[in-house]
Amino acid sequence: QDVIDKLKLIPENLRSMVKEVTMDLSNSMNLIVRCCFPKASRTIDRFHVQKLACDALQEMRIAHRWDAMQEEADAIEEARHSGKEYNPVIFANGDTRKQLLARSRYLLFKSSEKWTQSQKLRASILFQQYPDIKEAYSLTHSLRMIFNKNKTKDESRLSLARWYSKVDTAGFKSFNVIASTLYEHYDEVLNFFNNRSTNAFAESFNAKIKQFRAQLRGVIDIKFFFFRLVKLYA
């Protein structure tokens, strides 16, 4: 409500000139745009959509890593009780199971053509050991490609329908939640393909403000804080 009140200080005839607003999946942001910019089309930023899929993929990797850590702890304990030396399984790239899962974090964020040789080997071992991670990576990559390659809303609508079908077949709970979220914001997600608009600039500016605030160890004088922001960034 505070944001709505501030935006409504701008004359209505100026606010009605806004044609498009890019935003995240927040319901509060959706309400702000509907109230303050009623003539604008609402577009969900593609990177917020992709982040949901990446988070679900990483959540799966982390769950397997916890299991691997538990298995290793149990094996060490068993070896100690039996008076034997513990020798972990070492894969072809020199990783243990726990290291494999820990070091795979960054390669799962990237397309396979951007992997280094060591990442390609690690991914090959990872996908062989954990087929569910391979399938989840495929779903995440497919969603990324929809936004990268499709040019029109009709083409994208068909691609998303196929992606929903893949998610349903895979049966991963987290991806089903993502599919439901996308379906709820279906029109706003597809609006991206009108102008391929993102709010990357706003996200970057917001990150700068957070970093500046962190350097100050908090803010007491709000007016002076805004004054410094204007001098630095305006």
Side-chain angles (χ1 to χ4, degrees):
Q1 189 57 48
D2 290 340
V3 176
I4 291 172
D5 291 341
K6 292 297 182 183
L7 286 174
K8 284 191 173 180
L9 295 175
I10 302 172
E12 186 177 354
N13 65 314
L14 293 179
R15 286 187 282 113
S16 65
M17 293 170 65
V18 176
K19 295 181 179 180
E20 182 182 19
V21 177
T22 56
M23 58 185 186
D24 57 19
L25 292 156
S26 166
N27 289 328
S28 58
M29 186 61 70
N30 201 322
L31 177 61
I32 290 168
V33 176
R34 289 205 315 269
C35 291
C36 299
F37 306 104
K39 294 185 179 181
S41 65
R42 300 185 298 279
T43 300
I44 299 293
D45 190 328
R46 59 169 287 186
F47 296 107
H48 290 283
V49 176
Q50 289 175 217
K51 185 176 182 299
L52 289 177
C54 286
D55 287 347
L57 174 58
Q58 294 295 342
E59 181 183 300
M60 187 177 294
R61 178 190 64 84
I62 291 169
H64 281 302
R65 183 166 180 253
W66 279 111
D67 289 341
M69 291 169 67
Q70 184 63 55
E71 288 174 11
E72 184 180 271
D74 292 342
I76 292 172
E77 185 69 19
E78 184 179 344
R80 188 174 65 186
H81 281 303
S82 60
K84 298 179 181 178
E85 183 181 355
Y86 171 68
N87 294 309
V89 175
I90 305 295
F91 294 109
N93 65 340
D95 287 344
T96 64
R97 186 174 297 275
K98 185 174 68 174
Q99 290 171 338
L100 175 70
L101 289 160
R103 294 170 181 174
S104 298
R105 177 186 177 189
Y106 294 107
L107 69 86
L108 293 176
F109 282 119
K110 298 193 292 186
S111 298
S112 57
E113 62 266 18
K114 296 181 180 179
W115 288 341
T116 63
Q117 287 301 318
S118 62
Q119 287 178 328
K120 287 178 181 178
L121 177 57
R122 181 169 288 126
S124 174
I125 298 168
L126 178 72
F127 292 159
Q128 184 179 8
Q129 294 294 315
Y130 300 98
D132 57 339
I133 293 182
K134 180 179 181 180
E135 191 168 3
Y137 175 79
S138 177
L139 289 173
T140 303
H141 183 68
S142 297
L143 185 61
R144 184 190 298 120
M145 288 299 100
I146 289 173
F147 289 104
N148 283 351
K149 293 186 176 181
N150 289 0
K151 303 298 182 184
T152 65
K153 289 178 74 171
D154 290 337
E155 182 184 9
S156 306
R157 186 178 288 108
L158 180 59
S159 296
L160 276 175
R162 290 172 179 162
W163 189 79
Y164 289 149
S165 179
K166 290 180 182 177
V167 169
D168 189 51
T169 302
F172 298 137
K173 182 179 178 181
S174 53
F175 279 89
N176 282 327
V177 172
I178 295 169
S180 298
T181 302
L182 293 185
Y183 191 76
E184 183 181 349
H185 299 277
Y186 197 57
D187 291 332
E188 288 91 347
V189 170
L190 287 174
N191 281 342
F192 166 78
F193 297 97
N194 290 333
N195 302 306
R196 303 189 71 81
S197 302
T198 74
N199 62 353
F201 175 80
E203 293 289 349
S204 174
F205 180 57
N206 190 39
K208 289 179 181 177
I209 292 176
K210 287 182 177 179
Q211 185 179 21
F212 181 53
R213 186 180 63 189
Q215 290 173 350
L216 299 177
R217 304 294 194 276
V219 176
I220 297 176
D221 189 336
I222 296 176
K223 288 185 178 180
F224 185 59
F225 174 70
F226 281 126
F227 171 77
R228 295 185 71 183
L229 279 181
V230 169
K231 290 299 182 183
L232 285 171
Y233 300 117

